[in-house]
Amino acid sequence: MRTSETIITAFTAALASLALPAAACAAGGGGHADMGVSLPLYSVLPFAGMLLSIALFPLLAPKFWHHHFGKVSAFWAVVLVVPLVLGYQGAAVYEILHIVLADYVPFIILLGSLYTVSGGILLKGTLRGTPALNTGILAIGTILASWMGTTGAAMLLIRPLLRANAHRQNRTFMVVFFIFLVANVGGSLTPLGDPPLFLGFLRGVPFFWTFHLLPHMLVAAGILLTLYYLLDRHYYRREGITAAPDDGAQEPIRIEGSYNFIFLAGIVGAVLMSGMAKWGDISILGIHRGVQDVVRDGLLVLMAILSLAVTPRTLREANAFTWFPIQEVAILFIGIFLTMIPCLKILQAGSQGELGFLIAAVREPLHYFWITGILSAFLDNAPTYLTFLSTAMGGFYPGVAESEAVMLLIEENPLYLLAISAGAVFFGALTYIGNAPNFMVRSIAEEAGTPMPTFFGYLFKYSAPILGSVFVVISIIFFI
Amino acid sequence: MKIEKILFPTKFREFAFEALESLLVLKDVGLREVVLHYVIPREEVGFVPYGGYLKDEEERLREETRIRFQDWQQSLSAHGIGSKIVIEVGDPVPNVLALAEKEKVDLLVVGKKKKTGPELSFVGSHTLQLITRSTVPTLVSKHMVEYESSGQMVTRLNDTIFQRPLLATDWSEPSGRALELLLSMKNVVGSVSVCHVIGVKIAKNLDKSGLHLLEKESRKRLDRYCERLTAAGIPAAPHLGAGRSVLEIIRIARETHATMIMMGTTGKDRLHEFFLGSNSHRVAEASELPTLLVP
């Protein structure tokens, strides 16, 4: 037998082995409601493979990954989708369409619109990096992140911060704290801030409920900003800078493309509207979606189109705007969303599912905060959030419809949701792979000539000692 | 208006060096320096998903490019022309335009599309953006092209581009500047054809006498252009066309065996460009000849 035939035969056999138990359960009357009970534990392997690919390929084979990440994502999606559809047929097709139409599409539309609109805002002018000014930029970014997304705020401010500090010798720590605050912690207050929170919003968490994270955010941001200021002042003095260099090219500070803030307000308004209005349901390919959600997605696309139409091309060029990062997110996340279907279903089945042991082990808010957090740091935080939201709902309300379970969780056990939300958002800063904006900021900083630590350098020299201490404080104050 | 400094951005495609070589004759009309420019697309080295930036890859690409450019520099130096290498990471179109402005070049040279698709356009999206937005004269070089003529594929080598240029004029200020540029190249230009096309849009609103009047006026203006060229020592012949401007310019260019088409370009805004198009840009897209557009 030729090698290619051997590979095909082996692959088919593997698919069949994955599909068989599921097919047996489906034949036994299991509809999509029972999928989580009948799915075998190894059906989560494609999800694990997908997340491990994201974690390991950039470290071990960055060039390969850069050029082939789409194929890797497609591979894991196919490895999951084919046997799932073979085994569960209509129920699997329903789940796939549901996660794509109800989760993935709105998720990408929100990220895309925030990215497009914020890419049309340009901060210009001569900034001279002093400890006070830098701390101010980080504080502003932290505030903005909840309203224009961590990606949007990071893209708006990272280049001005780098330009302002081009004359400084020590810049690495600035970018690291920028990732901590602007690309992560700052996005904890609204569903616009960080992708996990938007996924929670799509599952029924009210828009303003996330404001309950304000105390947690204030503690984290307060500690980090204070620490940053002290560090920057230390380095500033050590560098012996008595006055900022004056090259005679003083340009007043100004914001160009400020009309894009109107479109940002439009995005906030559209998301808010979809959380408050109830205009009935509409069926798209057999998937019921709220009319208000479809209208919201349309409005978000409209805001992005308007921003593209009215913002001069030269302004986006000055921002070094490129579609590449958002394309990457869209390609990777279709793989993530598809492969996480079994994981979510099994967790939603509670103790009846194959991951019942996990649900039994994770009991206290503190557990949720740290486990959601640590996994968010090494996997992407958006799917991790959904996984542990499902874990909590499976633990407290097994078999209860998702939207109902979310409301019950908020009413009866809000501390759990706070712990999951804070863990997913805050720990996203622990590694470069915890949250999408982290790698964008790193890339821009390195292109601008700021040396950035390696994956482990970032983790062991900066994030683990600094953020680890902050998380211990937060645990003591809020979750014990 | 004189070509002393050229910006030559390249992606090292086939015939890029030959295209550069075909410009060296401009030394006889004052060419002093060529700026060799390569933009490493940001996406090639940056934004590795969840990974950051490929610093080593950037270094490798820089070194590779430097070695290639240094080889080209030897050739330029042998012709007595100075050169400078600029390699940067970024977005090709804005980076090229910014460098053209910074270096104050007199001519920007851009390449044709790698392959001509079914739409038969010689100009890719980057080149189209550059010729639309450039504020300096821009040459679309098209060193070797393949195109369909009378049902057959024809290969054409454009290696003596300044030999017999066709100056297509619409009497605009940019057309006047194109004439000035042509005059500055008298030592390398063999002969010139000057053409004007009475467009369909104008002709259809005129009666026969009005059309005759327009024809007379157009011929007079063409003669004036030719007189200026002849006075400068460049043999010139007028050609008047009528009908669709782009097709007529291409027809006249073929009939006069032109080696290049020169036109003024008004740099219309995006909306105008989208709805109405621009004759100069469409000629650059459709003609198999190198096209020099003067803003």
Side-chain angles (χ1 to χ4, degrees):
Chain A
M1 197 182 281
R2 288 182 315 191
T3 315
S4 59
E5 285 173 349
T6 315
I7 292 169
I8 290 166
T9 310
F11 183 67
T12 313
L15 292 185
S17 72
L18 197 62
L20 275 175
C25 293
H32 65 268
D34 298 331
M35 190 186 274
V37 178
S38 61
L39 271 167
L41 187 57
Y42 56 79
S43 63
V44 305
L45 283 177
F47 183 45
M50 182 75 216
L51 294 179
L52 284 173
S53 298
I54 291 174
L56 297 178
F57 272 120
L59 287 177
L60 304 176
K63 210 173 149 190
F64 167 83
W65 175 242
H66 191 39
H67 292 108
H68 302 287
F69 67 92
K71 291 168 201 145
V72 174
S73 176
F75 169 78
W76 290 118
V78 169
V79 165
L80 183 278
V81 165
V82 172
L84 196 69
V85 170
L86 283 176
Y88 289 90
Q89 295 158 359
V93 172
Y94 175 85
E95 291 299 341
I96 289 166
L97 284 175
H98 187 269
I99 205 151
V100 170
L101 294 175
D103 287 324
Y104 175 74
V105 170
F107 174 79
I108 291 300
I109 287 177
L110 176 75
L111 282 188
S113 58
L114 283 171
Y115 182 79
T116 308
V117 171
S118 54
I121 303 168
L122 176 65
L123 181 60
K124 284 186 93 172
T126 312
L127 289 166
R128 299 292 183 206
T130 60
L133 180 100
N134 293 340
T135 311
I137 290 176
L138 293 186
I140 290 168
T142 307
I143 294 165
L144 286 177
S146 278
W147 300 99
M148 59 196 302
T150 48
T151 304
M155 293 302 108
L156 175 70
L157 292 173
I158 184 62
R159 286 192 174 86
L161 180 74
L162 292 168
R163 276 200 301 270
N165 292 284
H167 65 291
R168 298 279 303 271
Q169 287 169 23
N170 298 286
R171 298 189 300 273
T172 304
F173 77 98
M174 298 174 189
V175 182
V176 169
F177 273 81
F178 187 91
I179 291 175
F180 291 171
L181 284 156
V182 184
N184 290 278
V185 171
S188 55
L189 294 187
T190 76
L192 300 172
D194 215 19
L197 302 179
F198 185 64
L199 290 180
F201 175 76
L202 292 178
R203 304 269 159 151
V205 178
F207 188 94
F208 288 112
W209 186 87
T210 324
F211 259 93
H212 286 98
L213 280 171
L214 182 63
H216 310 68
M217 193 270 249
L218 286 177
V219 169
I223 296 171
L224 289 170
L225 282 168
T226 307
L227 190 58
Y228 173 80
Y229 177 76
L230 294 174
L231 259 178
D232 200 355
R233 198 179 62 170
H234 165 75
Y235 282 122
Y236 195 74
R237 285 178 180 169
R238 208 170 72 172
E239 287 164 14
I241 300 170
T242 48
D246 185 3
D247 55 11
Q250 285 286 333
E251 202 184 335
I253 309 290
R254 65 186 188 281
I255 289 179
E256 287 187 8
S258 53
Y259 40 81
N260 277 290
F261 283 112
I262 298 170
F263 304 131
L264 271 178
I267 291 173
V268 175
V271 175
L272 252 175
M273 173 279 295
S274 72
M276 297 163 95
K278 293 283 175 251
W279 294 338
D281 280 357
I282 186 173
S283 174
I284 303 170
L285 299 172
I287 306 299
H288 289 279
R289 289 201 62 205
V291 173
Q292 67 281 355
D293 296 336
V294 178
V295 171
R296 174 201 63 217
D297 293 348
L299 287 171
L300 297 187
V301 172
L302 179 68
M303 291 301 119
I305 291 172
L306 287 174
S307 170
L308 282 173
V310 304
T311 309
R313 182 165 43 190
T314 46
L315 195 152
R316 288 191 187 276
E317 285 173 356
N319 248 345
F321 181 86
T322 162
W323 292 110
F324 201 60
I326 204 73
Q327 283 170 5
E328 288 174 343
V329 170
I331 290 167
L332 285 174
F333 269 77
I334 187 66
I336 292 175
F337 274 78
L338 289 175
T339 54
M340 77 177 167
I341 292 172
C343 192
L344 295 181
K345 298 309 290 182
I346 292 172
L347 286 168
Q348 281 164 10
S351 58
Q352 289 182 291
E354 290 262 21
L355 287 169
F357 69 90
L358 181 68
I359 293 169
V362 185
R363 294 184 311 275
E364 302 298 327
L366 185 70
H367 300 163
Y368 276 97
F369 177 65
W370 280 90
I371 292 179
T372 308
I374 288 170
L375 288 177
S376 287
F378 292 95
L379 312 173
D380 188 89
N381 60 1
T384 309
Y385 170 91
L386 272 192
T387 304
F388 282 93
L389 179 62
S390 298
T391 308
M393 290 191 299
F396 286 111
Y397 316 107
V400 176
E402 193 176 70
S403 55
E404 202 182 322
V406 168
M407 292 319 294
L408 285 170
L409 192 67
I410 287 171
E411 281 169 25
E412 296 171 5
N413 297 290
L415 200 55
Y416 287 84
L417 188 52
L418 283 174
I420 293 166
S421 305
V425 176
F426 292 172
F427 279 73
L430 202 63
T431 70
Y432 285 133
I433 56 173
N435 197 13
N438 301 3
F439 82 84
M440 296 183 202
V441 170
R442 178 190 178 184
S443 181
I444 291 167
E446 286 181 329
E447 186 190 329
T450 300
M452 290 298 290
T454 61
F455 180 87
F456 292 109
Y458 175 87
L459 178 64
F460 293 122
K461 191 174 173 191
Y462 294 97
S463 67
I466 298 170
L467 291 177
S469 314
V470 174
F471 298 155
V472 168
V473 173
I474 286 177
S475 299
I476 293 167
I477 299 176
F478 299 105
F479 298 123
I480 292 180
Chain B
M1 200 175 239
K2 195 176 170 188
I3 297 174
E4 294 182 346
K5 195 172 186 180
I6 290 177
L7 175 58
F8 192 85
T10 181
K11 293 177 183 171
F12 297 103
R13 282 183 181 157
E14 202 177 15
F15 304 118
F17 180 66
E18 287 82 349
L20 176 62
E21 273 189 316
S22 68
L23 302 173
L24 301 184
V25 291
L26 292 175
K27 178 164 192 305
D28 295 342
V29 293
L31 177 63
R32 288 182 295 105
E33 187 180 13
V34 176
V35 181
L36 301 166
H37 187 208
Y38 182 74
V39 181
I40 302 168
R42 184 171 283 114
E43 289 84 354
E44 281 283 311
V45 290
F47 298 120
V48 178
Y50 292 85
Y53 193 79
L54 300 171
K55 191 75 190 163
D56 294 344
E57 180 69 358
E58 185 204 321
E59 287 303 322
R60 187 186 67 76
L61 288 171
R62 278 185 184 277
E63 283 306 295
E64 245 178 50
T65 308
R66 184 186 55 75
I67 290 166
R68 290 176 179 183
F69 273 157
Q70 282 179 344
D71 196 35
W72 290 12
Q73 279 185 308
Q74 284 180 6
S75 183
L76 289 168
S77 173
H79 284 83
I81 299 169
S83 60
K84 180 196 243 182
I85 295 173
V86 179
I87 305 166
E88 50 191 356
V89 175
D91 189 354
V93 173
N95 278 52
V96 168
L97 293 172
L99 188 64
E101 198 172 318
K102 186 182 163 202
E103 291 286 338
K104 294 184 173 42
V105 299
D106 307 300
L107 180 68
L108 167 64
V109 181
V110 292
K112 70 170 182 69
K113 209 161 72 171
K114 195 175 177 185
K115 280 183 183 169
T116 309
E119 77 283 10
L120 294 176
S121 169
F122 291 100
V123 170
S125 59
H126 280 175
T127 299
L128 186 62
Q129 276 195 59
L130 285 169
I131 59 178
T132 312
R133 298 170 59 187
S134 173
T135 54
V136 296
T138 303
L139 172 69
V140 185
S141 69
K142 304 178 190 170
H143 183 75
M144 180 166 309
V145 287
E146 276 190 347
Y147 62 102
E148 201 178 295
S149 175
S150 310
Q152 284 189 324
M153 284 308 287
V154 180
T155 303
R156 181 188 170 91
L157 183 66
N158 293 309
D159 56 349
T160 53
I161 59 179
F162 301 102
Q163 196 64 43
R164 286 184 305 280
L166 168 73
L167 174 62
T169 173
D170 60 358
W171 320 125
S172 62
E173 277 184 37
S175 290
R177 285 194 284 275
L179 174 64
E180 295 301 325
L181 186 62
L182 196 48
L183 286 166
S184 77
M185 296 194 284
K186 64 178 178 183
N187 291 347
V188 294
V189 171
S191 63
V192 174
S193 298
V194 184
C195 82
H196 172 73
V197 177
I198 298 174
V200 178
K201 276 183 205 156
I202 295 172
K204 73 180 178 188
N205 295 323
L206 295 173
D207 58 15
K208 201 172 175 183
S209 64
L211 205 56
H212 281 159
L213 207 65
L214 181 63
E215 182 190 343
K216 198 176 161 191
E217 175 62 22
S218 299
R219 289 195 188 283
K220 202 192 292 180
R221 287 187 177 196
L222 276 174
D223 287 341
R224 253 183 261 148
Y225 264 60
C226 290
E227 279 162 20
R228 282 201 63 191
L229 287 159
T230 312
I234 305 173
H239 297 271
L240 187 63
R244 289 185 177 179
S245 302
V246 174
L247 294 178
E248 273 294 277
I249 291 168
I250 292 173
R251 179 188 66 78
I252 295 169
R254 285 179 181 165
E255 285 179 7
T256 57
H257 304 288
T259 53
M260 172 174 72
I261 297 174
M262 282 182 75
M263 296 178 78
T265 182
T266 45
K268 295 180 173 71
D269 62 35
R270 267 195 292 173
L271 215 57
H272 190 284
E273 177 79 24
F274 181 78
F275 288 108
L276 302 173
S278 147
N279 281 339
S280 54
H281 303 156
R282 274 193 267 149
V283 168
E285 285 181 285
S287 171
E288 68 277 14
L289 295 177
T291 317
L292 177 50
L293 306 180
V294 182

